[in-house]
Amino acid sequence: QVQLEESGGGLVQAGDSLSLSCTASGRTLTNSVMGWFRQAPGKEREFVAHIRWISGTTSYADSVKGRFTVSRDNAKNTVYLQMNSLKPEDTAVYYCAAKYGVPALSAVAYNYWGQGTQVTVSS
């Protein structure tokens, strides 16, 4: 089992930056893939980014590429999502998720989820 706890959401203006954190506990993360997803009202949960824990290899959705950066701190068992140049369309609840094995873009492939943190970007 893996327990995930996100923090760092809030209300910002367009163009601002925000950093989200997700701290994991329980099972080792060595062979895990840590993902960030988001869900806006009335929309499906969508992939934002993921990082392969053992290698640090990352992948991003086209909508955030060049603006968002995912990273991890092995010692703190924490994954981060640095969000720059935020846009109103980035407004959503952001979720941290974990899976083991190969990376995946689909939310259904992830077994463990945090409670979510709200990010609101005003225009």
Side-chain angles (χ1 to χ4, degrees), residues 44-71:
E44 293 188 354
R45 194 167 296 189
E46 65 173 1
F47 169 76
V48 174
H50 68 58
I51 184 167
R52 198 163 191 175
W53 195 269
I54 194 168
S55 65
T57 305
T58 59
S59 181
Y60 298 91
D62 287 343
S63 59
V64 306
K65 202 170 292 184
R67 300 189 298 122
F68 290 13
T69 302
V70 60
S71 61

Side-chain angles (χ1 to χ4, degrees), residues 1-108:
Q1 291 289 333
V2 177
Q3 292 78 43
L4 302 172
E5 184 171 358
E6 302 109 335
S7 62
L11 171 64
V12 297
Q13 292 186 333
D16 285 351
S17 297
L18 201 60
S19 181
L20 306 182
S21 300
C22 173
T23 300
S25 60
R27 184 178 170 184
T28 178
L29 297 177
T30 302
N31 294 314
S32 73
V33 178
M34 302 296 293
W36 285 99
F37 291 79
R38 65 187 183 186
Q39 188 166 17
K43 295 188 176 181
E44 293 188 354
R45 194 167 296 189
E46 65 173 1
F47 169 76
V48 174
H50 68 58
I51 184 167
R52 198 163 191 175
W53 195 269
I54 194 168
S55 65
T57 305
T58 59
S59 181
Y60 298 91
D62 287 343
S63 59
V64 306
K65 202 170 292 184
R67 300 189 298 122
F68 290 13
T69 302
V70 60
S71 61
R72 87 265 192 251
D73 185 326
N74 289 343
K76 295 182 179 180
N77 263 15
T78 299
V79 62
Y80 303 95
L81 185 68
Q82 176 65 40
M83 304 183 292
N84 298 329
S85 302
L86 282 161
K87 304 175 181 180
E89 50 263 44
D90 294 319
T91 295
V93 177
Y94 282 71
Y95 296 91
C96 174
K99 70 178 301 292
Y100 289 85
V102 297
L105 304 184
S106 174
V108 298

